[in-house]
Amino acid sequence: MTLIDLDGRSYSYDAATFSYWDQPLDAVDVLSGNRAEGGLVFKIDSDSAPAQIVYDVGGLFGGKIIIDLRRAPDQTQ
């Protein structure tokens, strides 16, 4: 997981993830139709704001999942 800020800078999740959250998002395989829950901590520059979360799926058929934080999620689902 990587966070991209409004200025295009990228940040990895911080080690504080594991002490801050009761349920940190840990490495897990999520099979089709299932889901995973947990929290992550990103420490970013105070003069910016989050813009995207990027998850690199990797593997043979990998790709990237990009979550745009600049717009509200689709509430119709």
Side-chain angles (χ1 to χ4, degrees):
M1 296 273 188
T2 302
L3 182 137
I4 309 296
D5 72 9
L6 292 174
D7 299 317
R9 294 176 291 215
S10 61
Y11 303 85
S12 297
Y13 67 89
D14 193 81
T17 292
F18 302 101
S19 60
Y20 181 81
W21 291 102
D22 290 336
Q23 183 181 354
L25 184 60
D26 208 351
V28 62
D29 290 329
V30 182
L31 302 176
S32 180
N34 291 332
R35 63 185 217 166
E37 292 185 31
L40 294 172
V41 172
F42 294 92
K43 293 183 179 178
I44 70 170
D45 293 339
S46 61
D47 64 344
S48 191
Q52 296 178 325
I53 297 286
V54 179
Y55 174 65
D56 189 351
V57 177
L60 182 61
F61 301 105
K64 292 183 179 178
I65 298 170
I66 299 174
I67 302 167
D68 191 343
L69 302 173
R70 296 167 291 189
R71 65 180 197 95
D74 183 0
Q75 299 297 319
T76 61
Q77 296 180 346

